[in-house]
Amino acid sequence: MVNMERWLNKVAVVTGASSGIGAATTKNLIKAGFQVIGLARRIDRLNELKSQLPSDKRQQLTVTHCDVSCTESVDKAFSEILEKFGGIDVLINNAGCAIGGQLCTMDTKVLEKVLQTNVMGVVRCTQIAFKSMKERDVNGHIIIMNSVGGHKVLTALPRLPVSNIYSPTKYALTAMSDIYRQEFAAFKTKIKITSISPGLVDTEMVNEKVRQRHDKCMLDPHDVAHAILYALSTPVDVQVHEIIIRPLGEIF
């Protein structure tokens, strides 16, 4: 039984909350008693998610538009959050994207979009959440949704590789997680950092060919959401720095 009492009524921000891992995590955090701010570009999907909650829980979810690849959008969304709630206690950096193609031939503007979403979006959201947690001297927690692709480049041979810049962005998150761990300690804060690296997850990011090949060997988004709850449930002096979670039988 996870121990979540200390998080009751605390403020959690979830990026990419409209589907997949983000939506599953949002539901779990609401059940755990958080006030959750769900951020995403697709407001209609966020409102649909809110309507699916029990009527007595809907007030715990605040729906806010945010495109994490755009610094101005992030700053606007977080400014509204801080004004309304006074601070952030937990940040789930979940938003991410993958666009198929080859690194040696793709339009650099497309690659920049992936970099801005997967790396710089995490940087900016974390900067704002860190400032809020540090100034209030709280036991905060920042979670980064990484990938097994951030620890090993997944081979596609003999097929043509299509992951291009995705794996490098996840390798960046692996390095950033340890940099944050060192910085948070050097600043003498009580903020934890956790990187969660799932294998293949059954989300909208999985293309149809991959789904057909691996439909019986994928994680459910709730499997990853449960891992987030585990990291949050640890005692204040315990930091789970890295979780790698794979579906049984995965051979990547």
Side-chain angles (χ1 to χ4, degrees):
M1 183 70 178
V2 295
N3 183 3
M4 299 292 289
E5 286 83 359
R6 69 189 180 89
W7 294 116
L8 189 63
N9 294 320
K10 298 297 184 180
V11 176
V13 177
V14 181
T15 69
S18 63
S19 65
I21 296 169
T25 298
T26 296
K27 292 175 182 177
N28 274 4
L29 294 177
I30 287 170
K31 288 180 183 177
F34 279 93
Q35 286 291 329
V36 179
I37 299 90
L39 302 182
R41 292 172 300 167
R42 299 178 296 185
I43 287 291
D44 57 330
R45 294 287 294 273
L46 286 174
N47 285 324
E48 181 182 346
L49 173 62
K50 187 168 186 173
S51 71
Q52 295 170 356
L53 297 172
S55 57
D56 62 334
K57 299 289 186 181
R58 289 173 192 161
Q59 75 279 3
Q60 289 175 238
L61 176 59
T62 299
V63 168
T64 303
H65 177 270
C66 182
D67 178 354
V68 299
S69 71
C70 173
T71 301
E72 292 78 9
S73 180
V74 171
D75 289 352
K76 180 177 183 294
F78 276 79
S79 177
E80 292 172 1
I81 292 166
L82 293 172
E83 183 177 350
K84 181 174 181 179
F85 294 96
I88 298 164
D89 302 294
V90 169
L91 169 64
I92 313 293
N93 281 301
N94 169 73
C97 74
I99 301 172
Q102 287 69 55
L103 190 58
C104 58
T105 60
M106 288 176 70
D107 186 333
T108 55
K109 287 185 172 58
V110 175
L111 296 171
E112 286 168 4
K113 177 71 173 180
V114 179
L115 280 168
Q116 285 296 125
T117 301
N118 293 3
V119 179
M120 295 312 298
V122 172
V123 169
R124 187 56 185 153
C125 292
T126 298
Q127 284 181 338
I128 300 171
F130 170 76
K131 184 174 186 289
S132 170
M133 295 172 189
K134 182 176 182 295
E135 287 177 347
R136 294 176 300 123
D137 192 29
V138 297
N139 291 296
H141 202 142
I142 294 173
I143 289 177
I144 292 176
M145 193 53 55
N146 200 334
S147 166
V148 294
H151 302 270
K152 178 183 179 182
V153 176
L154 308 178
T155 179
L157 296 176
R159 298 179 300 276
L160 184 65
V162 295
S163 61
N164 53 82
I165 203 75
Y166 178 80
S167 193
T169 64
K170 295 300 184 177
Y171 265 83
L173 296 184
T174 299
M176 285 162 52
S177 296
D178 207 51
I179 291 168
Y180 284 137
R181 179 185 62 81
Q182 296 177 35
E183 290 182 351
F184 294 174
F187 274 114
K188 302 189 184 305
T189 73
K190 297 181 286 187
I191 305 169
K192 298 183 187 182
I193 180 73
T194 300
S195 169
I196 297 183
S197 298
L200 194 60
V201 184
D202 187 6
T203 69
E204 295 174 357
M205 286 180 64
V206 179
N207 70 46
E208 193 56 37
K209 289 184 179 179
V210 173
R211 187 179 299 280
Q212 289 173 2
R213 283 200 305 270
H214 303 284
D215 66 326
K216 295 180 180 178
C217 193
M218 290 193 290
L219 295 167
D220 186 275
H222 287 281
D223 298 327
V224 184
H226 292 327
I228 291 173
L229 279 190
Y230 164 69
L232 290 171
S233 72
T234 54
V236 293
D237 58 343
V238 174
Q239 178 169 244
V240 178
H241 181 68
E242 175 74 52
I243 297 175
I244 296 178
I245 174 171
R246 295 177 180 268
L248 183 65
E250 185 176 78
I251 59 173
F252 291 136

